[in-house]
């Protein structure tokens, strides 16, 4: 019998050994209760960063994090449940049109979301730009919304009891240089998604300059680990690898992204947002076992009706004017040509500095702050034409945003039309 004490668990992993199920259960439970000290968990996390975990260890670790709190159960709902998780990108507002669209096709979409940190925005921050909208929904109310065919989708904050071990561990990893580990990231994301009680899950794993994972190989490795974890836990799971070199759509920032999402639901909006929304919706509808083309529900206005009901159900007014920032500044093209590059990371950092994102958990965000993009790669531009409009309530922020944008775009010769596929790969069990 292996000794159950923190030091031997740390040294086993440090020396490249495999942790037993009992060791994993013990250390995750002990950490959640405060019996395993932060410095011991930090050392173990660092050993995992270096040595990795096997598929069995990662699945057990995920299970232990789920068991640290409560697990929601929607199996008695009259509609099949399916959710989506994105690893985060600049201008990624896809959840906003996607959740009501998939609900309009007959699925129930329970989405427990987070607030943004750093250069990618959080879905809750975006929806909170809508006057009156509330992120906190009780579990009984969540169940009522999901069961109602006229609403069918809820996007809300995860309660404190959902995978509390992950909340503590993620905060510790953030300050100990131990975020970058495929098994730790995969188990962190999947513990929350499995505990949320969805029967099926689509993962949108972003790849590129504006994403957490910069290379296709890294993204494929994370996607595979997450698909395995979902499948092992009985959740039908598929992952798409999608491009994040350029921001999605033409807006980055909370209220600006809500406005763009509403345009998509009204039948317009940028082509990349429409394409990705329909692509992800088709995957989700298939995962839910429904035989319906979401493109029809978008075109005939059912998704918009569902959106309005979803916003109302959480106290929001879908007709209220969205907040706007007090100050704007324009970035113009310096020459004629074709925009060949618009760097997602630079735009994300600039939007964040303008006030759309937060540096520390709990900081406020500005609803109206962000960036409108008047040209995207492939568009012809003329000298002096506006490329970007920067929005903020705090004009002191313009200098920092402009600095972040100093090398954000390239204008090339007319012949250089870039071609950029959105979906780069698909992984299923
Ligand atoms: N997002 C999470 O929820 N956890 C991680 O470890 C990384 C990103």
């Amino acid at each position: 019998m292996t000794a159950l004490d923190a030091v031997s668990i740390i040294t086993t992993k440090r020396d490249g050994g495999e942790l037993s199920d009992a060791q994993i259960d013990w250390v995750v439970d002990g950490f959640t209760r405060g019996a395993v000290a932060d410095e011991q968990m930090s050392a173990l996390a660092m050993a995992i960063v270096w040595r990795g975990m096997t598929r069995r260890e990662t699945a057990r670790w995920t299970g232990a994090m789920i068991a640290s709190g409560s697990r929601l159960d929607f199996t008695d709902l009259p509609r099949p449940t399916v959710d989506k998780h994105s690893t985060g990108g600049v201008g990624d507002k896809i959840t906003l049109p996607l959740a009501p669209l998939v609900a309009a096709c007959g699925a129930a979409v329970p989405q427990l979301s987070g607030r943004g940190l750093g250069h990618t925005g959080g879905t809750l921050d975006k929806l909170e730009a809508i006057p009156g909208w509330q992120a906190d929904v009780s579990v009984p109310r969540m169940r009522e919304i999901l069961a109602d065919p006229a609403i069918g989708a809820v996007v809300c904050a995860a309660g404190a009891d959902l995978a509390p071990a992950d909340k503590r561990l993620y905060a510790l990893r953030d300050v100990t240089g131990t975020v970058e580990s495929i098994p730790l990231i995969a188990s962190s994301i999947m513990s929350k998604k499995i505990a949320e009680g969805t029967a099926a899950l689509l993962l949108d794993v972003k790849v590129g300059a504006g994403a957490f994972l910069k290379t296709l190989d890294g993204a494929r490795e994370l996607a595979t680990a997450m698909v395995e974890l979902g499948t092992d836990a009985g959740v039908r799971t598929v992952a798409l690898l999608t491009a994040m070199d350029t921001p999605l759509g033409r807006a980055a920032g909370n209220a600006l992204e809500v406005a763009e999402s509403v345009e998509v639901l009204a039948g317009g909006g940028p082509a990349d947002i429409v394409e990705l929304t329909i692509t992800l919706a088709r995957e989700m509808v298939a995962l839910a076992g429904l035989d319906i083309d979401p493109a029809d529900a978008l075109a005939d206005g059912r998704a918009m009706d569902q959106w309005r009901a979803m916003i109302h159900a959480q106290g929001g007014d879908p007709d209220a004017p969205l907040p706007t920032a007090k100050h704007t500044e324009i970035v113009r093209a310096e020459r004629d040509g074709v925009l060949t590059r618009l760097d997602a990371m630079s735009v994300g950092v600039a939007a964040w500095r303008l006030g759309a994102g937060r540096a520390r958990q709990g900081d406020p965000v500005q609803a109206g702050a962000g960036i409108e993009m008047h040209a995207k790669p492939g568009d012809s531009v003329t000298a002096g034409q506006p490329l970007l409009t920067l929005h903020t309530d705090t004009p002191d922020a313009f200098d920092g945003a402009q600095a972040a944008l100093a090398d954000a775009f390239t204008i090339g010769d007319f012949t250089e039309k870039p071609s950029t596929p959105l979906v780069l790969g698909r992984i299923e069990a």
Side-chain angles (χ1 to χ4, degrees):
M1 162 95 186
T2 320
L4 292 179
D5 71 276
V7 175
S8 65
I9 291 172
I10 296 164
T11 53
T12 300
K13 188 44 75 183
R14 181 199 64 193
D15 297 339
E18 254 194 60
L19 302 179
S20 69
D21 289 353
Q23 286 179 310
I24 291 172
D25 293 350
W26 184 88
V27 78
V28 172
D29 176 61
F31 175 62
T32 312
R33 288 185 296 102
V36 170
D38 282 2
E39 54 270 29
Q40 292 177 312
M41 197 50 147
S42 308
L44 180 57
M46 187 59 87
I48 293 171
V49 168
W50 282 101
R51 296 295 193 173
M53 285 201 284
T54 64
R55 178 170 178 169
R56 179 198 57 77
E57 287 177 295
T58 312
R60 191 74 186 197
W61 188 277
T62 308
M65 294 214 291
I66 295 168
S68 71
S70 57
R71 185 170 175 171
L72 302 180
D73 181 0
F74 295 118
T75 45
D76 60 334
L77 283 184
R79 299 143 63 79
T81 48
V82 59
D83 188 17
K84 181 225 44 160
H85 175 81
S86 161
T87 56
V90 178
D92 184 1
K93 72 277 296 173
I94 300 291
T95 291
L96 276 57
L98 181 67
L101 174 58
V102 173
C105 294
V109 186
Q111 180 157 128
L112 300 180
S113 283
R115 293 193 164 74
L117 196 59
H119 77 283
T120 62
T123 300
L124 299 182
D125 296 320
K126 297 176 208 231
L127 286 165
E128 278 173 344
I130 300 172
W133 189 87
Q134 297 295 322
D136 291 319
V137 179
S138 69
V139 174
R141 178 67 185 135
M142 217 178 146
R143 190 177 288 283
E144 273 172 20
I145 294 175
L146 292 172
D148 184 341
I151 316 173
V154 60
V155 181
C156 61
D161 199 30
L162 194 99
D166 176 64
K167 281 196 188 75
R168 285 202 62 191
L169 181 55
Y170 195 23
L172 195 63
R173 288 167 55 214
D174 204 27
V175 294
T176 55
T178 53
V179 169
E180 288 82 0
S181 149
I182 298 284
L184 289 178
I185 297 170
S187 57
S188 166
I189 293 173
M190 293 303 290
S191 62
K192 289 172 280 202
K193 286 288 148 183
I194 296 166
E196 164 195 280
T198 187
L201 178 65
L202 178 66
L203 298 163
D204 180 4
V205 179
K206 300 285 182 205
V207 193
F212 188 44
L213 291 155
K214 312 288 178 208
T215 68
L216 200 52
D217 283 350
R220 191 172 283 121
E221 199 187 332
L222 177 64
T224 303
M226 291 196 291
V227 168
E228 286 173 356
L229 285 175
T231 306
D232 289 352
V235 177
R236 289 187 302 284
T237 309
V238 167
L240 294 185
L241 309 180
T242 69
M244 185 32 70
D245 285 316
T246 284
L248 276 171
R250 290 175 176 265
N254 301 311
L256 294 169
E257 293 192 43
V258 172
E260 189 167 86
S261 303
V262 172
E263 275 174 41
V264 170
L265 289 160
D272 57 347
I273 300 287
V274 176
E275 182 188 334
L276 195 56
T277 303
I278 291 179
T279 303
L280 297 188
R282 286 191 175 128
E283 291 281 355
M284 290 173 74
V285 165
L287 276 166
L290 300 164
D291 184 19
I292 270 190
D293 187 358
D296 297 335
L298 186 61
D300 66 16
R302 275 178 289 153
M304 176 64 107
D305 293 344
Q306 214 89 21
W307 158 264
R308 296 175 59 80
M310 173 182 131
I311 296 305
H312 261 305
Q314 290 180 236
D317 178 356
D319 297 314
L322 290 165
T324 52
K326 295 194 182 81
H327 305 273
T328 58
E329 201 167 280
I330 291 176
V331 176
R332 296 178 188 277
E334 281 167 4
R335 53 165 286 199
D336 293 353
V338 172
L339 188 68
T340 53
R341 186 181 67 92
L342 179 59
D343 179 58
M345 183 59 100
S346 310
V347 172
V349 170
W352 170 45
R353 289 185 181 170
L354 289 166
R358 56 173 68 76
R360 279 181 308 273
Q361 265 163 15
D363 283 356
V365 296
Q366 295 176 29
I371 299 184
E372 275 177 282
M373 292 157 259
H374 305 294
K376 291 289 296 282
D379 291 347
S380 297
V381 296
T382 51
Q385 168 189 328
L387 287 183
L388 307 171
T389 302
L390 316 187
H391 298 249
T392 187
D393 291 335
T394 43
D396 288 356
F398 282 130
D399 284 351
Q402 293 275 13
L405 293 167
D407 184 35
F409 47 84
T410 309
I411 299 175
D413 293 330
F414 289 101
T415 48
E416 295 174 32
K417 286 251 178 199
S419 94
T420 45
L422 271 176
V423 178
L424 306 171
R426 181 178 187 283
I427 289 165
E428 62 184 324

